[in-house]
Amino acid sequence: MELNKYIDHTLLKAVATEKEIEKLCEEAKEYGFYAICVNSCYVKKAKEYLNDLPGEDVKIASVIGFPLGAMSTESKVFETKDACRNGAGEIDMVINLGLLKDKKYDECLADIKAVVDAAKEYDSIVKVIIETCYLDKEEIVKACELSATAKAAFVKTSTGFGTGGANPEDVKLMRDTVGPEMGVKASGGIRDRKTALEMIEAGANRLGVSAGVEIVTEK
């Protein structure tokens, strides 16, 4: 198994510096990670760093509406287009959890679809962060169904900023709901190889981790 190819090498903390983003890009190239994942303000700079480094292609994912998902759809669309123009090939958006909790499914779907459609203009894909720590099983299933209806490419467990991260049970439920056609990304709290492999066994085909180097070099 090429575990490195499952990994979105991630740095999303509020105090991340440009120097740390540069290091993230260097590590992603060195270890052959599938992608990096950064806040939208750093997409353009990350693109420049990656273009200047030797090695195989590393994709850029940008988080949108992060970490709460509670801003307007129009704001998410603007941020999506800006990130895509600056070089993001993947968009990790946070759903509006309040709409989901209120069972305003049409509005929640519209929020997701607007971002999917905006990203599609730039041939970028969308991963929908459903923040499983705040959802019951029924809500997880519904969030996955809405994401599939909106034609997102992935559903994703967590921001890493909520009350909990990924767990194998939720990953399996997400995989069972979306089937084999859609991606499932596990993120939040994955800090060692054992946990990473448990998520993959449960059905994840992408991992969002900040400990990517430690995971792939673990003996």
Side-chain angles (χ1 to χ4, degrees):
M1 175 188 289
E2 290 186 283
L3 189 54
N4 58 320
K5 293 305 179 187
Y6 283 81
I7 289 176
D8 287 359
H9 195 35
T10 301
L11 179 58
L12 298 171
K13 64 184 181 180
V15 294
T17 65
E18 194 170 302
K19 195 70 179 171
E20 289 174 311
I21 297 297
E22 184 176 8
K23 181 184 178 186
L24 187 83
C25 293
E26 290 170 351
E27 290 172 345
K29 282 279 192 173
E30 180 180 354
Y31 292 96
F33 294 134
Y34 187 87
I36 61 164
C37 187
V38 296
N39 284 298
S40 58
C41 67
Y42 280 125
V43 170
K44 187 173 184 180
K45 188 60 66 175
K47 181 74 171 175
E48 292 171 3
Y49 287 143
L50 289 171
N51 284 344
D52 288 342
L53 292 167
E56 60 187 287
D57 182 50
V58 174
K59 295 188 180 300
I60 299 174
S62 175
V63 290
I64 299 298
F66 193 86
L68 301 179
M71 60 285 297
S72 69
T73 298
E74 291 79 8
S75 299
K76 291 179 182 178
V77 167
F78 181 90
E79 189 179 17
T80 296
K81 291 183 176 182
D82 182 66
C84 290
R85 280 193 296 266
N86 285 328
E90 302 192 349
I91 297 296
D92 290 26
M93 73 158 290
V94 188
I95 66 165
N96 188 311
L97 291 157
L99 293 177
L100 185 73
K101 290 282 186 182
D102 276 340
K103 295 183 168 52
K104 294 182 177 180
Y105 299 136
D106 288 345
E107 293 178 50
C108 190
L109 173 61
D111 184 63
I112 299 166
K113 191 174 185 303
V115 172
V116 171
D117 290 346
K120 190 176 181 181
E121 292 177 25
Y122 299 87
D123 296 319
S124 298
I125 67 166
V126 172
K127 311 187 200 88
V128 180
I129 307 172
I130 66 173
E131 199 70 295
T132 52
C133 64
Y134 297 129
L135 307 180
D136 61 29
K137 303 307 179 189
E138 181 182 333
E139 290 167 335
I140 290 172
V141 169
K142 191 63 182 181
C144 289
E145 291 173 346
L146 293 173
S147 301
T149 300
K151 300 191 183 308
F154 280 76
V155 282
K156 176 179 171 182
T157 62
S158 320
T159 62
F161 287 74
T163 56
N167 65 68
E169 182 183 5
D170 288 343
V171 170
K172 184 179 187 304
L173 178 60
M174 293 164 70
R175 171 55 68 202
D176 289 345
T177 303
V178 303
E181 306 302 321
M182 198 170 173
V184 174
K185 179 175 173 180
S187 63
I190 305 169
R191 299 186 180 90
D192 55 58
R193 186 180 184 87
K194 179 178 180 290
T195 307
L197 294 175
E198 286 174 350
M199 298 302 172
I200 293 169
E201 179 67 23
N205 57 328
R206 197 82 70 82
L207 305 173
V209 298
S210 57
V213 173
E214 291 83 356
I215 288 169
V216 298
T217 58
E218 186 180 318
K219 301 299 184 185

